[in-house]
Structure formats: C-alpha cells, structure tokens
Amino acid sequence: MGYQTEFGTLLDAIAEEADAIALKFFRTGDLRVDRKGDGSPVTQADRGVEEMARAKVSASGLALDVLGEEMGGEDAKAASTSGRARLIIDPIDGTEDFWRGIPIFGTLLGIERDGEIVAGMASAPALATRWCAYRGEGAYRNGKRIHVSSATKMSESMMFTTGAGPSKDGAARARLRKLLDAARNGRSIGGFWQHMLVAEGSVEAAVDLTSKPWDLAPLGIIVEEAGGRSTNIAGVRTIYTGDFVSTNGKLHEEVLELLR
C-alpha cells in the first residue's frame, strides 16, 4: 500500500475543513487574537483547526498519535519513539500573517513513521493552493507535478530567508546577509511558503533558523519529492533542530557553507 492510499483521504479531509475554518475568520471582524506565553499570537481559528484535525484522526481508524502546536503531544524535540505513526500539525502556520490579513498562511500536515516523514501537505486557502507529497510518489501543487529549478550558480539564484528579528543574534543576521548578498536576488519572508517556492522552482533556496517541528513537518518531503534537498545547517535531514534549509539540490552545499 502506498502512502497516499494509506493517508491521503485523511489529509485531504483535514485540509478541506481547515481551509473553510481559516477563511471564515480571515479578514473579518470576528477574529480574536490572544497571546501565548512566548508572546506569539493565537486565534480561535488556530484552536478550531487543531481540534477538528484531532477529531478526524480519532474517527479515521488509523493508528496515529498527534503532535500539534496548540494542544501539544509527546516527543516534541525528537522523532517519536512510541512505535506508532503520528500526525504533526501546525493548524495555521503564519498566524501573524493571518490576523494581519496577509494571505501567506496555511495548515501544515506531516505524517511521521519510524522517524521519517512519509506524507506531507501544506494548504494555503487564501492563495487557493495546496501542495502535497508522499514518499516515493512525487510532489504536487493543486494536482500538478512540480519540480525544483535547474539553476547551478549563485549568481543566477534567488534566495528567501527568515527575517532578522529579535530572535536572531548578530552572528545569525550576518550569516543571512552573507547568503542574500551571494545571490542574484533575495527576500526575507520566512515561513512555509518560501519552501514551497523552492519546490515549485520559483526560487533556489529558503532558510528558517528558529522553527518548531510542526512548522517544518511537511516541507522537506515536498521539496525532496520535487527533486530538491532539505536539511539543517549541519546537513542533517531533521525537523528537530530549529534550523531548516531547502534548496534545489544543486546549490545546497554552497548555501550551507555560507550559513556556517
């Protein structure tokens, strides 16, 4: 049984309802923004999407644990050791964008089995776009196969990175600046969308430095199945160290070197 056959129905159902919940509140006066202990925003849409997703997992009959941004779960700092597969969910990645009316937010869904992400989906309803990948089955954007770019020179490349906010120290800001200066062009945007742009072949690299596993769970498999690479700065394929770099593969080592 392929991973799409096993998990696709569940992921599609979660994404469809998540889109509807998010759009119900997007750019409306009904949205309520609270602040978590770390100061990051959370809305009733974030909570509603995760509650819905957990209910659908329970009703699916699949043997799945859940790790989510809003309601937690076990082993948030390493791959699960429970012996069961698990859904890792960010109900709304880019809540800051969401509540400000910026359309680059989305629901992120990853299925982890035996320490490996085997299925991933990112659904961005305000962009009317959904990306998905299943291990060994390719990467897709709205049902059409996608591929990374063929650029082989930094001088031909476009790089996207996380912003240089207060969570980054001077050394991190300098490394990001060094990477952007080496490219033909660059932007600081952060979040899931920049990694999807790598998978689509629109840009050559995307960099995040302070992410949680739910921010990253589906991104690497989508980039890899599109022909690219996703690792941390040390070159390890993991979503548990906070730093995450996606490239078209051809420029990966050069990008990592500039970030070290």
Side-chain angles (χ1 to χ4, degrees):
M1 180 187 300
Y3 294 117
Q4 183 172 13
T5 300
E6 186 173 2
F7 299 113
T9 298
L10 174 65
L11 295 186
D12 284 338
I14 292 173
E16 283 293 321
E17 192 162 342
D19 286 358
I21 292 170
L23 290 178
K24 176 183 176 182
F25 293 103
F26 184 56
R27 294 177 175 168
T28 73
D30 296 327
L31 186 67
R32 184 182 68 253
V33 183
D34 300 318
R35 293 286 169 178
K36 294 187 278 190
D38 62 0
S40 61
V42 61
T43 73
Q44 70 267 53
D46 296 78
R47 297 185 179 105
V49 169
E50 186 162 333
E51 289 169 0
M52 172 274 297
R54 288 173 180 269
K56 286 191 180 300
V57 169
S58 295
S60 71
L62 295 170
L64 279 177
D65 295 329
V66 181
L67 172 65
E69 178 174 12
E70 307 307 336
M71 300 172 67
E74 295 184 1
D75 299 319
K77 296 183 178 180
S80 175
T81 57
S82 72
R84 288 162 53 99
R86 68 174 173 179
L87 171 70
I88 304 175
I89 176 172
D90 189 339
I92 296 184
D93 185 64
T95 301
E96 189 79 36
D97 297 302
F98 176 65
W99 79 259
R100 290 177 180 272
I102 301 169
I104 50 174
F105 64 87
T107 296
L108 307 185
L109 307 167
I111 301 288
E112 181 185 67
R113 173 178 281 168
D114 298 326
E116 181 82 6
I117 301 296
V118 298
M121 184 171 289
S123 192
L127 300 177
T129 306
R130 186 175 299 165
W131 301 263
C132 69
Y134 298 87
R135 186 66 64 190
E137 300 177 46
Y140 295 84
R141 177 186 188 271
N142 290 349
K144 295 183 178 180
R145 192 79 177 259
I146 54 175
H147 301 276
V148 297
S149 81
S150 59
T152 59
K153 298 178 181 179
M154 291 294 291
S155 60
E156 301 172 345
S157 71
M158 188 170 192
M159 304 280 158
F160 276 28
T161 72
T162 182
S167 63
K168 319 302 188 302
D169 60 22
R173 294 187 187 108
R175 291 196 299 271
L176 293 174
R177 183 73 262 169
K178 186 178 179 182
L179 174 65
L180 293 173
D181 287 346
R184 177 179 175 82
N185 209 333
R187 300 283 189 276
S188 293
I189 190 168
F192 81 96
W193 189 46
Q194 60 176 349
H195 298 273
M196 298 301 92
L197 292 176
V198 173
E200 292 179 8
S202 297
V203 303
E204 280 64 52
V207 180
D208 277 305
L209 296 182
T210 54
S211 297
K212 302 294 186 182
W214 43 79
D215 299 318
L216 306 173
L219 309 185
I221 187 173
I222 295 172
V223 171
E224 289 175 348
E225 288 293 318
R229 288 182 64 188
S230 292
T231 70
N232 64 11
I233 292 174
V236 179
R237 293 174 64 253
T238 179
I239 61 173
Y240 294 104
T241 58
D243 54 317
F244 199 73
V245 181
S246 294
T247 75
N248 68 349
K250 301 169 183 66
L251 293 171
H252 200 78
E253 293 303 326
E254 192 170 354
V255 168
L256 294 185
E257 189 60 33
L258 287 164
L259 291 168
R260 289 169 178 159

